[in-house]
Amino acid sequence: DVKVTQSSRYLVKRTGEKVFLECVQDMDHENMFWYRQDPGLGLRLIYFSYDVKMKEKGDIPEGYSVSREKKERFSLILESASTNQTSMYLCASRSGTRSSYEQYFGPGTRLTVT
Amino acid sequence: AQTVTQSQPEMSVQEAETVTLSCTYDTSESDYYLFWYKQPPSRQMILVIRQEAYKQQNATENRFSVNFQKAAKSFSLKISDSQLGDAAMYFCAYRLSGNTPLVFGKGTRLSVIA
């Protein structure tokens, strides 16, 4: 089974802190994604990566950066956490072949910024 | 930009009954995929069903089926013989072929009444 793991289920940080959210997948997937999920807003794409060291901005990249040094790992970085970044963060991965369709999700990280 | 609209923030259904969740999308492309994802209260997002746009036949997975109306850009999910375990957030999603991200609707919260 495909497994996408996220480093923390719950995280509490203070305003201004630098925050790292880690995501690891074990299926050699080319594509990896970071979303944030807020009530009433659904899932919004922050960044995605289709290869090592490659990244593309999603719909809401402001205040975030990403790193993908290895194929299996995709990190989301909050350079200076703010209270409006309190949210559920979901990581996902997917194979890069044209016929692939299923995107696999991690369990999510509930981040609270105080 | 592609958009996905779920017009029903909340729905409820009696156990063993049938419920239909609505989804419309906006695109000018002809080669794309549509999905329904389920997110139970434990938060792990899982794929329920998918539909390739080039296929005219509606997809079916056990008690789950879709009504795909390409011209109307409509993609509804029908759940038959509803079970308590079907209670969850359901997200409709769309993506183009290739290394492209999923675009999600805002979700429909389904309650199943015993």
Side-chain angles (χ1 to χ4, degrees):
Chain A
D1 284 348
V2 174
K3 200 170 205 178
V4 180
T5 57
Q6 296 183 228
S7 50
S8 305
R9 289 300 301 271
Y10 300 93
L11 206 54
V12 180
K13 295 293 181 180
R14 292 187 177 177
T15 301
E17 278 194 85
K18 190 169 186 175
V19 181
F20 292 86
L21 302 183
E22 305 286 341
C23 176
V24 177
Q25 50 93 4
D26 65 357
M27 281 300 292
D28 202 36
H29 284 170
E30 291 80 6
N31 298 309
M32 295 189 75
F33 309 86
W34 275 108
Y35 294 88
R36 66 175 280 177
Q37 182 180 5
D38 301 287
L41 296 179
L43 278 75
R44 294 178 292 167
L45 181 68
I46 305 172
Y47 269 97
F48 67 103
S49 169
Y50 53 87
D51 202 351
V52 176
K53 296 191 185 294
M54 305 299 287
K55 62 183 179 183
E56 295 283 344
K57 291 181 180 179
D59 299 318
I60 52 165
E62 297 79 18
Y64 304 94
S65 62
V66 291
S67 172
R68 193 163 180 207
E69 296 297 319
K70 293 184 178 181
K71 193 174 187 180
E72 68 270 18
R73 187 181 297 270
F74 191 35
S75 302
L76 180 68
I77 304 155
L78 287 65
E79 296 291 342
S80 178
S82 63
T83 55
N84 63 12
Q85 292 178 310
T86 291
S87 186
M88 171 69 82
Y89 290 87
L90 295 177
C91 176
S93 74
R94 189 179 80 231
S95 171
T97 60
R98 177 178 169 82
S99 62
S100 69
Y101 57 88
E102 184 162 359
Q103 190 157 303
Y104 297 87
F105 285 83
T109 295
R110 169 76 65 188
L111 173 66
T112 301
V113 183
T114 62
Chain B
Q2 290 81 25
T3 59
V4 177
T5 302
Q6 294 179 248
S7 59
Q8 307 150 315
E10 295 184 352
M11 293 279 286
S12 62
V13 62
Q14 293 280 348
E15 200 174 4
E17 296 295 310
T18 296
V19 65
T20 298
L21 308 184
S22 301
C23 174
T24 58
Y25 58 95
D26 186 22
T27 184
S28 57
E29 304 291 334
S30 59
D31 187 12
Y32 54 88
Y33 302 88
L34 294 162
F35 306 84
W36 279 97
Y37 276 83
K38 171 184 177 181
Q39 187 181 43
S42 65
R43 294 288 184 177
Q44 193 89 33
M45 191 89 73
I46 56 174
L47 179 66
V48 175
I49 199 167
R50 81 182 194 283
Q51 175 83 41
E52 293 90 340
Y54 63 85
K55 289 187 178 178
Q56 293 186 338
Q57 186 171 5
N58 289 325
T60 299
E61 289 286 344
N62 300 314
R63 298 183 295 107
F64 298 87
S65 61
V66 298
N67 183 5
F68 174 46
Q69 301 288 330
K70 192 171 183 178
K73 297 180 183 176
S74 171
F75 183 61
S76 59
L77 175 70
K78 185 172 82 171
I79 306 173
S80 304
D81 185 25
S82 297
Q83 301 175 359
L84 294 176
D86 295 334
M89 282 291 290
Y90 286 83
F91 291 97
C92 179
Y94 156 101
R95 74 170 177 91
L96 296 171
S97 61
N99 291 329
T100 57
L102 282 173
V103 177
F104 286 87
K106 294 183 178 181
T108 297
R109 181 175 300 281
L110 178 67
S111 301
V112 180
I113 303 164

